[in-house]
Amino acid sequence: MPTQTRSDQRRARTRAALIAAAQKLLAERRTNVPVLEITRLADVGLGSFYNHFTDKDELFETAVDEALERFGSILDLLSDHEDPAVVFGQSLRLTVRLCRREPALTRVLLHRGLEITVADRGLVPRARRDIDAGIAAGRFRNTDSRIAVSIVGGGALSLAALLDADPSLDADAAADDFAINILCMLGLSDSDAVEICRMNLPDVDDLLVRTESA
Amino acid sequence: MPTQTRSDQRRARTRAALIAAAQKLLAERRTNVPVLEITRLADVGLGSFYNHFTDKDELFETAVDEALERFGSILDLLSDHEDPAVVFGQSLRLTVRLCRREPALTRVLLHRGLEITVADRGLVPRARRDIDAGIAAGRFRNTDSRIAVSIVGGGALSLAALLDADPSLDADAAADDFAINILCMLGLSDSDAVEICRMNLPDVDDLLVRTESA
DNA sequence: ATTATCTATAGATCTATAGATAATGC
DNA sequence: ATTATCTATAGATCTATAGATAATGC
């Protein structure tokens, strides 16, 4: 554990304030703002910006990466289950529920958009691992997991955009329906998929609290 | 038919040049450029820009809309078939193939990203119509078509991003695999889906030529 | 003494318009 | 005569740094 001097802490605070401001702006799709506006929102001096980042692009990229990590670390808390279809179903249902619970974080991800589903960080590698496990166990159809994961990722993002655009939609029902669709796609019968998506799910708020400290 | 004066033609040419320049920039993800750079790329005077658009946002939005229309009009050429599953399968296979054939156009759509799948124009209403027809005919599972269309749209975009990022991928195979996945999701058996996706497809180049005049 | 932050600002860059020029209409 | 385009530029806006100030380290 590297000793955190008071200087380091101060530095980290400033950096975090800048990133939080960037995430706020990303959620509003306003990335084309002067640096001064960012530092005002972060409540730090203009010069501090250049202490931490070389330009706006670098800041915004960092802000998206951190949001992705947050999402991923929440899903990592999901307890295991012997049936890979159950594991994946839980992940899907939880991910979509998280989008409703964390709209600001979700909008940050939506801004980066589809590049996320191509990336080799965040949620995609987790999904690919789960799908491959299901195929290996004979629980899923034998299919190209790169393409399957692409559909799942794009579908999840697209559904997140839909939930964001229409607050009147029932997010829990949409999440379960999404999971049913994906499980059917992977070869489960309609009834099997429905059954899995009726199982108990860990409390979303509880998971959020448990990852906040990180 | 409104008589096109020579003035109108000149005006339309300038406008089209600006939109083409904007699409070029969108494909390179460089929307944050000075107006002067856009007009240079379009080979028109700076002032002409303000003759047609009030600001850059308006131009870029128009540029994306036109690209979407182009895609949609190509799909409209697909001939009908009595089985809704065949119709939809053909659309899916063709859409993904188009992405490989028209990478610049595809990148324009990727820039707009997921907002497309929420929009009520372009490909989404066509997909929703096809899915609803399939459900009504008892060929697809009875499911919420809003969510299904969201998955299809997001999945297609995500796959387009994947094909764009990795030119070595076999687009035809990916397109067919994508369609199989979606048809399975909609309740078809694995073997039915595979069979549909082995059927003959209209020639992509031919369809492109037939819509170029529009 | 060192390191981080803040304030002030020079210079670069960009927007948007006014007025000139060129093309078309009749 | 009218309409579209083009050129030149005033004024606004933004970036990025230099130097001052404040906090921390030892």
Side-chain angles (χ1 to χ4, degrees):
Chain A
M1 182 173 288
T3 331
Q4 275 262 86
T5 68
R6 223 176 298 271
S7 258
D8 292 338
Q9 285 171 14
R10 194 159 70 121
R11 204 176 153 72
R13 258 202 311 278
T14 301
R15 186 185 160 87
L18 285 166
I19 289 175
Q23 292 182 335
K24 205 168 289 184
L25 288 168
L26 277 166
E28 298 167 20
R29 293 170 218 277
R30 299 198 306 131
T31 56
N32 204 2
V33 296
V35 173
L36 182 63
E37 186 167 341
I38 300 174
T39 54
R40 279 218 183 105
L41 198 58
D43 201 26
V44 301
L46 167 64
S48 290
F49 175 87
Y50 296 96
N51 253 336
H52 291 271
F53 303 97
T54 61
D55 56 24
K56 280 181 287 183
D57 281 349
E58 190 183 316
L59 167 64
F60 283 120
E61 204 169 319
T62 306
V64 175
D65 281 348
E66 300 226 340
L68 257 181
E69 265 323 302
R70 182 81 210 289
F71 250 93
S73 66
I74 293 172
L75 288 187
D76 282 341
L77 291 180
L78 276 180
S79 53
D80 269 355
H81 189 283
E82 58 180 340
D83 182 355
V86 171
V87 173
F88 196 49
Q90 303 274 73
S91 290
L92 296 172
R93 295 166 72 205
L94 195 64
T95 300
V96 178
R97 278 174 170 79
L98 276 175
C99 292
R100 178 64 99 209
R101 197 63 57 111
E102 291 282 329
L105 210 57
T106 301
R107 281 204 190 138
V108 173
L109 300 191
L110 286 176
H111 179 269
R112 166 81 59 105
L114 296 151
E115 294 161 54
I116 288 174
T117 66
V118 175
D120 50 358
R121 297 183 49 190
L123 303 177
V124 167
R126 289 178 173 84
R128 183 136 190 225
R129 181 198 57 197
D130 287 351
I131 292 177
D132 281 331
I135 295 173
R139 188 76 167 111
F140 293 156
R141 284 194 306 124
N142 186 18
T143 187
D144 185 336
S145 67
R146 281 173 312 175
I147 290 174
V149 91
S150 188
I151 299 172
V152 173
L157 282 172
S158 177
L159 187 56
L162 189 65
L163 290 171
D164 181 51
D166 185 352
S168 75
L169 281 177
D170 180 345
D172 288 0
D176 293 345
D177 198 35
F178 172 66
I180 291 170
N181 273 290
I182 297 299
L183 291 176
C184 283
M185 176 182 100
L186 292 170
L188 267 70
S189 72
D190 199 14
S191 51
D192 277 6
V194 168
E195 189 184 337
I196 285 175
C197 295
R198 279 197 187 134
M199 291 172 62
N200 280 334
L201 209 58
D203 187 54
V204 180
D205 293 305
D206 181 47
L207 291 176
L208 281 170
V209 171
R210 280 165 60 197
T211 52
E212 241 157 34
S213 49
Chain B
M1 181 172 290
T3 333
Q4 273 262 84
T5 68
R6 222 177 299 269
S7 256
D8 291 337
Q9 285 170 14
R10 193 160 69 119
R11 204 176 153 73
R13 259 201 311 278
T14 302
R15 186 186 159 88
L18 285 166
I19 289 175
Q23 291 181 335
K24 206 168 288 185
L25 289 168
L26 277 168
E28 298 167 19
R29 293 170 220 275
R30 297 197 308 131
T31 55
N32 203 3
V33 295
V35 173
L36 182 62
E37 186 168 340
I38 299 174
T39 55
R40 279 217 184 106
L41 198 60
D43 201 26
V44 300
L46 167 64
S48 290
F49 175 88
Y50 297 96
N51 252 336
H52 291 272
F53 303 97
T54 61
D55 56 25
K56 281 181 286 183
D57 281 349
E58 190 183 317
L59 167 64
F60 283 119
E61 202 169 321
T62 306
V64 174
D65 281 348
E66 300 226 340
L68 257 181
E69 263 324 300
R70 182 80 209 290
F71 249 92
S73 68
I74 294 172
L75 288 187
D76 282 341
L77 291 180
L78 277 180
S79 55
D80 269 354
H81 190 282
E82 58 180 340
D83 182 355
V86 171
V87 173
F88 197 49
Q90 303 275 71
S91 291
L92 296 173
R93 294 167 71 205
L94 195 65
T95 301
V96 177
R97 278 174 170 78
L98 277 175
C99 291
R100 178 63 99 209
R101 198 60 60 112
E102 291 281 330
L105 210 57
T106 301
R107 281 203 190 139
V108 174
L109 299 192
L110 285 176
H111 179 269
R112 166 82 59 105
L114 296 152
E115 293 161 55
I116 289 174
T117 66
V118 176
D120 50 357
R121 297 182 50 190
L123 303 177
V124 167
R126 290 178 174 84
R128 182 134 191 226
R129 181 199 57 199
D130 287 350
I131 291 177
D132 281 331
I135 294 173
R139 188 77 166 109
F140 293 157
R141 284 194 306 125
N142 186 19
T143 186
D144 186 337
S145 68
R146 281 174 311 174
I147 289 174
V149 92
S150 188
I151 298 172
V152 173
L157 283 171
S158 176
L159 187 56
L162 189 66
L163 290 171
D164 181 51
D166 185 351
S168 76
L169 280 177
D170 180 345
D172 288 0
D176 293 345
D177 197 36
F178 172 66
I180 292 171
N181 273 290
I182 297 299
L183 291 176
C184 283
M185 175 182 100
L186 292 171
L188 267 71
S189 71
D190 199 14
S191 51
D192 277 7
V194 168
E195 190 184 336
I196 285 175
C197 294
R198 278 196 187 134
M199 291 173 62
N200 279 334
L201 209 58
D203 186 55
V204 180
D205 293 305
D206 181 49
L207 292 176
L208 281 169
V209 171
R210 281 164 61 196
T211 52
E212 239 155 35
S213 50

PDB file of all heavy atoms in Angstrom, chain A residues 10 14 45 48 51-52, chain C residues 4-9:
ATOM      1  N   ARG A  10      -4.828  15.604  -2.013  1.00  0.00           N
ATOM      2  CA  ARG A  10      -5.348  16.830  -2.619  1.00  0.00           C
ATOM      3  C   ARG A  10      -5.397  16.695  -4.134  1.00  0.00           C
ATOM      4  O   ARG A  10      -6.376  17.025  -4.794  1.00  0.00           O
ATOM      5  CB  ARG A  10      -4.454  18.019  -2.217  1.00  0.00           C
ATOM      6  CG  ARG A  10      -5.074  19.371  -2.498  1.00  0.00           C
ATOM      7  CD  ARG A  10      -4.439  20.466  -1.662  1.00  0.00           C
ATOM      8  NE  ARG A  10      -3.072  20.740  -2.085  1.00  0.00           N
ATOM      9  CZ  ARG A  10      -2.654  21.945  -2.512  1.00  0.00           C
ATOM     10  NH1 ARG A  10      -3.509  22.937  -2.594  1.00  0.00           N
ATOM     11  NH2 ARG A  10      -1.411  22.147  -2.844  1.00  0.00           N
ATOM     12  N   THR A  14      -8.783  16.819  -6.635  1.00  0.00           N
ATOM     13  CA  THR A  14      -8.952  17.697  -7.797  1.00  0.00           C
ATOM     14  C   THR A  14      -9.259  16.891  -9.043  1.00  0.00           C
ATOM     15  O   THR A  14     -10.173  17.198  -9.807  1.00  0.00           O
ATOM     16  CB  THR A  14      -7.670  18.526  -8.011  1.00  0.00           C
ATOM     17  OG1 THR A  14      -7.395  19.295  -6.841  1.00  0.00           O
ATOM     18  CG2 THR A  14      -7.840  19.465  -9.191  1.00  0.00           C
ATOM     19  N   GLY A  45      -9.546  25.719 -10.098  1.00  0.00           N
ATOM     20  CA  GLY A  45      -9.010  26.753 -10.980  1.00  0.00           C
ATOM     21  C   GLY A  45      -8.778  26.213 -12.373  1.00  0.00           C
ATOM     22  O   GLY A  45      -8.580  25.004 -12.573  1.00  0.00           O
ATOM     23  N   SER A  48      -5.632  24.132 -13.004  1.00  0.00           N
ATOM     24  CA  SER A  48      -5.585  22.765 -12.482  1.00  0.00           C
ATOM     25  C   SER A  48      -5.912  21.735 -13.556  1.00  0.00           C
ATOM     26  O   SER A  48      -5.413  20.606 -13.531  1.00  0.00           O
ATOM     27  CB  SER A  48      -6.568  22.615 -11.323  1.00  0.00           C
ATOM     28  OG  SER A  48      -6.107  23.342 -10.217  1.00  0.00           O
ATOM     29  N   ASN A  51      -2.979  20.643 -15.205  1.00  0.00           N
ATOM     30  CA  ASN A  51      -2.155  19.873 -14.278  1.00  0.00           C
ATOM     31  C   ASN A  51      -2.438  18.376 -14.385  1.00  0.00           C
ATOM     32  O   ASN A  51      -1.599  17.551 -14.052  1.00  0.00           O
ATOM     33  CB  ASN A  51      -2.463  20.313 -12.845  1.00  0.00           C
ATOM     34  CG  ASN A  51      -1.343  21.141 -12.272  1.00  0.00           C
ATOM     35  OD1 ASN A  51      -0.211  21.021 -12.721  1.00  0.00           O
ATOM     36  ND2 ASN A  51      -1.655  21.967 -11.304  1.00  0.00           N
ATOM     37  N   HIS A  52      -3.646  18.053 -14.832  1.00  0.00           N
ATOM     38  CA  HIS A  52      -4.072  16.654 -14.801  1.00  0.00           C
ATOM     39  C   HIS A  52      -4.304  16.058 -16.184  1.00  0.00           C
ATOM     40  O   HIS A  52      -4.131  14.856 -16.373  1.00  0.00           O
ATOM     41  CB  HIS A  52      -5.345  16.519 -13.968  1.00  0.00           C
ATOM     42  CG  HIS A  52      -5.135  16.757 -12.516  1.00  0.00           C
ATOM     43  ND1 HIS A  52      -4.793  15.754 -11.647  1.00  0.00           N
ATOM     44  CD2 HIS A  52      -5.182  17.888 -11.776  1.00  0.00           C
ATOM     45  CE1 HIS A  52      -4.647  16.248 -10.429  1.00  0.00           C
ATOM     46  NE2 HIS A  52      -4.881  17.549 -10.479  1.00  0.00           N
TER      47      HIS A  52
ATOM     48  P    DA C   4       2.578  17.779  -7.237  1.00  0.00           P
ATOM     49  OP1  DA C   4       2.079  16.384  -7.305  1.00  0.00           O
ATOM     50  OP2  DA C   4       3.306  18.379  -8.360  1.00  0.00           O
ATOM     51  O5'  DA C   4       1.353  18.728  -6.888  1.00  0.00           O
ATOM     52  C5'  DA C   4       0.594  18.486  -5.722  1.00  0.00           C
ATOM     53  C4'  DA C   4      -0.465  19.564  -5.584  1.00  0.00           C
ATOM     54  O4'  DA C   4       0.198  20.833  -5.348  1.00  0.00           O
ATOM     55  C3'  DA C   4      -1.319  19.738  -6.838  1.00  0.00           C
ATOM     56  O3'  DA C   4      -2.685  19.710  -6.475  1.00  0.00           O
ATOM     57  C2'  DA C   4      -0.882  21.077  -7.422  1.00  0.00           C
ATOM     58  C1'  DA C   4      -0.332  21.823  -6.204  1.00  0.00           C
ATOM     59  N9   DA C   4       0.757  22.738  -6.527  1.00  0.00           N
ATOM     60  C8   DA C   4       1.912  22.456  -7.200  1.00  0.00           C
ATOM     61  N7   DA C   4       2.718  23.495  -7.347  1.00  0.00           N
ATOM     62  C5   DA C   4       2.035  24.528  -6.722  1.00  0.00           C
ATOM     63  C6   DA C   4       2.352  25.886  -6.533  1.00  0.00           C
ATOM     64  N6   DA C   4       3.480  26.448  -6.978  1.00  0.00           N
ATOM     65  N1   DA C   4       1.454  26.647  -5.876  1.00  0.00           N
ATOM     66  C2   DA C   4       0.326  26.077  -5.432  1.00  0.00           C
ATOM     67  N3   DA C   4      -0.082  24.806  -5.546  1.00  0.00           N
ATOM     68  C4   DA C   4       0.832  24.084  -6.212  1.00  0.00           C
ATOM     69  P    DT C   5      -3.803  19.931  -7.541  1.00  0.00           P
ATOM     70  OP1  DT C   5      -4.971  19.138  -7.112  1.00  0.00           O
ATOM     71  OP2  DT C   5      -3.231  19.764  -8.883  1.00  0.00           O
ATOM     72  O5'  DT C   5      -4.152  21.471  -7.333  1.00  0.00           O
ATOM     73  C5'  DT C   5      -4.395  21.964  -6.025  1.00  0.00           C
ATOM     74  C4'  DT C   5      -4.496  23.469  -6.070  1.00  0.00           C
ATOM     75  O4'  DT C   5      -3.203  24.020  -6.455  1.00  0.00           O
ATOM     76  C3'  DT C   5      -5.503  24.015  -7.082  1.00  0.00           C
ATOM     77  O3'  DT C   5      -6.476  24.766  -6.386  1.00  0.00           O
ATOM     78  C2'  DT C   5      -4.672  24.864  -8.042  1.00  0.00           C
ATOM     79  C1'  DT C   5      -3.439  25.186  -7.208  1.00  0.00           C
ATOM     80  N1   DT C   5      -2.212  25.459  -7.989  1.00  0.00           N
ATOM     81  C2   DT C   5      -1.674  26.717  -7.979  1.00  0.00           C
ATOM     82  O2   DT C   5      -2.157  27.649  -7.367  1.00  0.00           O
ATOM     83  N3   DT C   5      -0.526  26.863  -8.729  1.00  0.00           N
ATOM     84  C4   DT C   5       0.124  25.881  -9.466  1.00  0.00           C
ATOM     85  O4   DT C   5       1.146  26.131 -10.093  1.00  0.00           O
ATOM     86  C5   DT C   5      -0.491  24.583  -9.439  1.00  0.00           C
ATOM     87  C7   DT C   5       0.118  23.448 -10.202  1.00  0.00           C
ATOM     88  C6   DT C   5      -1.618  24.431  -8.715  1.00  0.00           C
ATOM     89  P    DC C   6      -7.735  25.324  -7.162  1.00  0.00           P
ATOM     90  OP1  DC C   6      -8.864  25.385  -6.211  1.00  0.00           O
ATOM     91  OP2  DC C   6      -7.860  24.601  -8.441  1.00  0.00           O
ATOM     92  O5'  DC C   6      -7.274  26.822  -7.472  1.00  0.00           O
ATOM     93  C5'  DC C   6      -6.958  27.698  -6.385  1.00  0.00           C
ATOM     94  C4'  DC C   6      -6.421  29.005  -6.944  1.00  0.00           C
ATOM     95  O4'  DC C   6      -5.175  28.738  -7.628  1.00  0.00           O
ATOM     96  C3'  DC C   6      -7.337  29.688  -7.955  1.00  0.00           C
ATOM     97  O3'  DC C   6      -7.682  30.972  -7.461  1.00  0.00           O
ATOM     98  C2'  DC C   6      -6.522  29.743  -9.251  1.00  0.00           C
ATOM     99  C1'  DC C   6      -5.096  29.590  -8.752  1.00  0.00           C
ATOM    100  N1   DC C   6      -4.146  28.952  -9.715  1.00  0.00           N
ATOM    101  C2   DC C   6      -3.074  29.680 -10.218  1.00  0.00           C
ATOM    102  O2   DC C   6      -2.938  30.857  -9.864  1.00  0.00           O
ATOM    103  N3   DC C   6      -2.210  29.079 -11.085  1.00  0.00           N
ATOM    104  C4   DC C   6      -2.382  27.807 -11.432  1.00  0.00           C
ATOM    105  N4   DC C   6      -1.499  27.258 -12.280  1.00  0.00           N
ATOM    106  C5   DC C   6      -3.472  27.036 -10.936  1.00  0.00           C
ATOM    107  C6   DC C   6      -4.332  27.634 -10.087  1.00  0.00           C
ATOM    108  P    DT C   7      -8.774  31.832  -8.236  1.00  0.00           P
ATOM    109  OP1  DT C   7      -9.608  32.464  -7.197  1.00  0.00           O
ATOM    110  OP2  DT C   7      -9.371  30.997  -9.288  1.00  0.00           O
ATOM    111  O5'  DT C   7      -7.901  32.980  -8.947  1.00  0.00           O
ATOM    112  C5'  DT C   7      -6.776  33.537  -8.275  1.00  0.00           C
ATOM    113  C4'  DT C   7      -6.098  34.553  -9.173  1.00  0.00           C
ATOM    114  O4'  DT C   7      -5.124  33.886 -10.018  1.00  0.00           O
ATOM    115  C3'  DT C   7      -7.048  35.291 -10.117  1.00  0.00           C
ATOM    116  O3'  DT C   7      -6.654  36.653 -10.155  1.00  0.00           O
ATOM    117  C2'  DT C   7      -6.849  34.596 -11.456  1.00  0.00           C
ATOM    118  C1'  DT C   7      -5.385  34.178 -11.381  1.00  0.00           C
ATOM    119  N1   DT C   7      -5.008  32.954 -12.150  1.00  0.00           N
ATOM    120  C2   DT C   7      -3.820  32.952 -12.823  1.00  0.00           C
ATOM    121  O2   DT C   7      -3.066  33.899 -12.844  1.00  0.00           O
ATOM    122  N3   DT C   7      -3.554  31.768 -13.477  1.00  0.00           N
ATOM    123  C4   DT C   7      -4.338  30.631 -13.524  1.00  0.00           C
ATOM    124  O4   DT C   7      -3.993  29.646 -14.142  1.00  0.00           O
ATOM    125  C5   DT C   7      -5.566  30.715 -12.790  1.00  0.00           C
ATOM    126  C7   DT C   7      -6.511  29.537 -12.775  1.00  0.00           C
ATOM    127  C6   DT C   7      -5.847  31.858 -12.146  1.00  0.00           C
ATOM    128  P    DA C   8      -7.461  37.737 -11.002  1.00  0.00           P
ATOM    129  OP1  DA C   8      -7.590  38.946 -10.164  1.00  0.00           O
ATOM    130  OP2  DA C   8      -8.655  37.095 -11.586  1.00  0.00           O
ATOM    131  O5'  DA C   8      -6.437  38.060 -12.183  1.00  0.00           O
ATOM    132  C5'  DA C   8      -5.040  38.068 -11.906  1.00  0.00           C
ATOM    133  C4'  DA C   8      -4.269  38.283 -13.192  1.00  0.00           C
ATOM    134  O4'  DA C   8      -3.995  37.003 -13.811  1.00  0.00           O
ATOM    135  C3'  DA C   8      -4.997  39.110 -14.255  1.00  0.00           C
ATOM    136  O3'  DA C   8      -4.041  39.905 -14.944  1.00  0.00           O
ATOM    137  C2'  DA C   8      -5.627  38.062 -15.143  1.00  0.00           C
ATOM    138  C1'  DA C   8      -4.530  36.988 -15.127  1.00  0.00           C
ATOM    139  N9   DA C   8      -4.988  35.630 -15.398  1.00  0.00           N
ATOM    140  C8   DA C   8      -6.177  35.064 -15.050  1.00  0.00           C
ATOM    141  N7   DA C   8      -6.298  33.812 -15.428  1.00  0.00           N
ATOM    142  C5   DA C   8      -5.107  33.533 -16.071  1.00  0.00           C
ATOM    143  C6   DA C   8      -4.601  32.373 -16.696  1.00  0.00           C
ATOM    144  N6   DA C   8      -5.275  31.236 -16.773  1.00  0.00           N
ATOM    145  N1   DA C   8      -3.366  32.441 -17.227  1.00  0.00           N
ATOM    146  C2   DA C   8      -2.684  33.591 -17.150  1.00  0.00           C
ATOM    147  N3   DA C   8      -3.056  34.743 -16.588  1.00  0.00           N
ATOM    148  C4   DA C   8      -4.283  34.644 -16.059  1.00  0.00           C
ATOM    149  P    DT C   9      -4.475  40.898 -16.144  1.00  0.00           P
ATOM    150  OP1  DT C   9      -3.639  42.105 -16.039  1.00  0.00           O
ATOM    151  OP2  DT C   9      -5.955  40.999 -16.174  1.00  0.00           O
ATOM    152  O5'  DT C   9      -4.007  40.084 -17.420  1.00  0.00           O
ATOM    153  C5'  DT C   9      -2.670  39.594 -17.488  1.00  0.00           C
ATOM    154  C4'  DT C   9      -2.465  38.882 -18.818  1.00  0.00           C
ATOM    155  O4'  DT C   9      -2.991  37.534 -18.745  1.00  0.00           O
ATOM    156  C3'  DT C   9      -3.184  39.539 -19.997  1.00  0.00           C
ATOM    157  O3'  DT C   9      -2.361  39.444 -21.141  1.00  0.00           O
ATOM    158  C2'  DT C   9      -4.405  38.677 -20.191  1.00  0.00           C
ATOM    159  C1'  DT C   9      -3.777  37.307 -19.898  1.00  0.00           C
ATOM    160  N1   DT C   9      -4.739  36.216 -19.605  1.00  0.00           N
ATOM    161  C2   DT C   9      -4.412  34.941 -19.987  1.00  0.00           C
ATOM    162  O2   DT C   9      -3.368  34.670 -20.537  1.00  0.00           O
ATOM    163  N3   DT C   9      -5.360  34.001 -19.697  1.00  0.00           N
ATOM    164  C4   DT C   9      -6.583  34.209 -19.081  1.00  0.00           C
ATOM    165  O4   DT C   9      -7.350  33.289 -18.871  1.00  0.00           O
ATOM    166  C5   DT C   9      -6.858  35.569 -18.702  1.00  0.00           C
ATOM    167  C7   DT C   9      -8.154  35.919 -18.027  1.00  0.00           C
ATOM    168  C6   DT C   9      -5.937  36.495 -18.988  1.00  0.00           C
TER     169       DT C   9
END
